[in-house]
């Protein structure tokens, strides 16, 4: 299903991508760039009007990557759930089994999400985490693959204890969770390889 | 998009397949050097023509991209031309033979001589993604060895070379360790190209069509060719200068020039060689 499928207006829903093929491609490249260069802020979903509390970037990421093959868990309420499931068709599953977890409020503990296995670490979850602001050049010092020396990112609205929980996540490499931080139509990613030092 | 072939989705693949490949690519970037299985599709080109690389390229390509395709360093082989035409037809993208102009480079058997930049992505066509395949044919077993990071088999194999030949006799597909964790096949590029993978500014993606696996190296990631303290890795090239551009630091192909056994050495990267010749000519004028 996509934004052009008749019926979303009848269901009281705003549309998804105006051009699912090209908007999906552009969003994917933004997420690929974000995951390849941790902490660099990309734009996605500027034209979307998803229901609150879902922000544009988080909506774009899920429209692009989630579908009937990806279990989904969230805290975003009935309106966002109806919108996402109409446009993506993803099944709802318990948080520990979800490929994609959307957190608009306090997220579940990283360690409670799917970690993958020694042989299949790619089964570790992707946490789409809505925050208040992303500012480059200040804040956390990020080091690791994708970063030439270090990259600085200030995350306003990161959950309490996140840096300590992230250190545990990183130490379990190659298992672990990858995070996409979203605010408005902006996003940045933290793959499980990234080391965070507080600024 | 009026120039693209009617009746095909943009970039040929259906959207569900693209999503599946895109999810695999993102996890591949998050776990550098780890092979991720994907549900490869039949492509309108035979295996051996880079169907894995083509599917990766199809999943990432957008209308603003400029695509370069090389085969053994050259842009003008049948294989490279076919792949370029395919993407012109199904995605309407611009193509180029100049490395500097490309946003996406799909390659078989070489890494361009020109340093790749942050705004470029290189996609490798991979025939055999498993570096341990010749030493351990069972996939269940190689998966276990990767899980344990147990690469003793490969060290033994390379050390046997040293014992027999006095050096490691692997000139192509020379295995690398990625980010100090996963043993990875760089695809059949010459060992000469291996150092270019180390901390490359561009994102490196790998697609194996027949074996249905994807892997990746993020930018600025450590990539070390396996070696031993007393036998350090040495990238090898023919000890000649290019007959066309006089380069002494590029990878050379040997070309037979006549029936009498005449031969010369020229750059394998035809774009780089032509660029050097043009620069030399300008300087002379
Ligand atoms: Zn030359």
């Amino acid at each position: 299903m996509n934004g052009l499928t008749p019926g979303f207006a009848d269901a009281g829903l705003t549309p998804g991508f105006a051009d699912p093929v090209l908007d999906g491609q552009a969003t994917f490249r933004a997420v690929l760039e974000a995951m390849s260069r941790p902490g660099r802020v990309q734009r996605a979903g500027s034209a979307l009007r998803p229901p609150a509390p879902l922000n544009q970037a988080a909506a774009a990421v899920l429209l692009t990557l989630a579908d009937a093959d990806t279990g989904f868990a969230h805290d975003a309420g009935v309106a966002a759930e109806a919108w996402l499931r109409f446009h993506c068709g993803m099944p709802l599953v318990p948080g520990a089994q979800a490929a994609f977890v959307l957190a608009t409020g306090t997220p579940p503990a990283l360690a409670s999400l799917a970690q993958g296995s020694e042989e299949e670490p790619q089964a570790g979850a992707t946490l789409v985490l809505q925050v208040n602001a992303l500012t480059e050049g200040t804040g956390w010092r990020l080091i690791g693959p994708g970063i030439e020396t270090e990259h600085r990112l200030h995350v306003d609205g990161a959950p309490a204890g996140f840096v300590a929980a992230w250190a545990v996540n990183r130490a379990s490499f190659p298992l672990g969770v990858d995070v996409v931080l979203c605010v408005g139509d902006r996003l940045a990613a933290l793959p499980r390889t990234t080391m965070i030092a507080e600024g | 998009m009026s120039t693209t072939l009617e009746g095909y989705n943009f970039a040929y693949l259906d959207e569900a397949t693209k999503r599946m490949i895109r999810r695999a690519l993102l996890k591949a970037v998050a776990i550098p050097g780890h092979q991720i299985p994907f549900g490869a599709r039949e492509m309108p080109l035979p295996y051996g023509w880079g169907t894995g690389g083509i599917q990766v390229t199809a999943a990432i390509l957008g209308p603003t991209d400029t695509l370069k395709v090389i085969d053994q360093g050259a842009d003008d082989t049948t294989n490279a031309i076919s792949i370029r035409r395919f993407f012109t037809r199904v995605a309407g993208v611009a193509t180029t033979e100049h490395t500097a102009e490309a946003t996406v480079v799909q390659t078989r058997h070489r890494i361009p001589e020109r340093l790749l930049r942050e705004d470029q992505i290189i996609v490798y066509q991979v025939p055999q993604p498993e570096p341990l395949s010749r030493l351990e044919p069972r996939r269940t077993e190689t998966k276990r060895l990767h899980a344990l990071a147990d690469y003793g088999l490969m060290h033994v194999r390379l050390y046997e070379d040293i014992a027999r030949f006095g050096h490691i006799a692997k000139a192509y597909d020379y295995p690398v360790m990625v980010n100090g964790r996963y043993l990875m096949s760089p695809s059949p590029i010459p060992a000469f190209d291996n150092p270019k993978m180390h901390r490359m500014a561009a994102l490196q993606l790998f697609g194996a069509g027949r074996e249905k696996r994807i892997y990746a190296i993020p930018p600025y990631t450590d990539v070390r060719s396996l070696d031993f303290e007393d036998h350090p890795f040495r990238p090898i090239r023919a000890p000649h200068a290019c007959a066309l551009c006089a380069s002494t630091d590029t990878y050379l192909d040997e070309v037979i020039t006549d029936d009498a056994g005449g031969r010369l050495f020229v750059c394998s990267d035809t774009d780089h060689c032509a660029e050097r010749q043009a620069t030399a000519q300008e300087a002379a004028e």
Side-chain angles (χ1 to χ4, degrees), chain B residues 242-247 250 252 266-267 269 272-274 276-277:
Chain B
C242 170
L244 300 174
C245 77
S247 166
T250 52
L252 303 175
V266 296
C267 291
D269 183 336
H272 185 73
C273 191
R276 281 180 50 89
Q277 292 174 60

Side-chain angles (χ1 to χ4, degrees), chain B residues 68 70 72-76 96-101 110-116 192-193 196 237 242 244-252 266-281:
Chain B
K68 172 183 166 83
I70 48 171
Q72 310 268 10
D75 299 81
D76 58 359
T96 183
E97 297 193 0
H98 301 307
T99 303
E101 291 172 1
R110 276 312 307 281
I111 298 174
E113 302 288 359
R114 174 187 272 277
L115 278 183
L116 295 177
F192 174 85
D193 281 344
K196 296 175 185 165
R237 70 184 285 279
C242 170
L244 300 174
C245 77
S247 166
T248 54
D249 61 2
T250 52
Y251 192 73
L252 303 175
V266 296
C267 291
S268 131
D269 183 336
T270 51
D271 171 55
H272 185 73
C273 191
E275 208 169 71
R276 281 180 50 89
Q277 292 174 60
T279 308
Q281 188 154 12

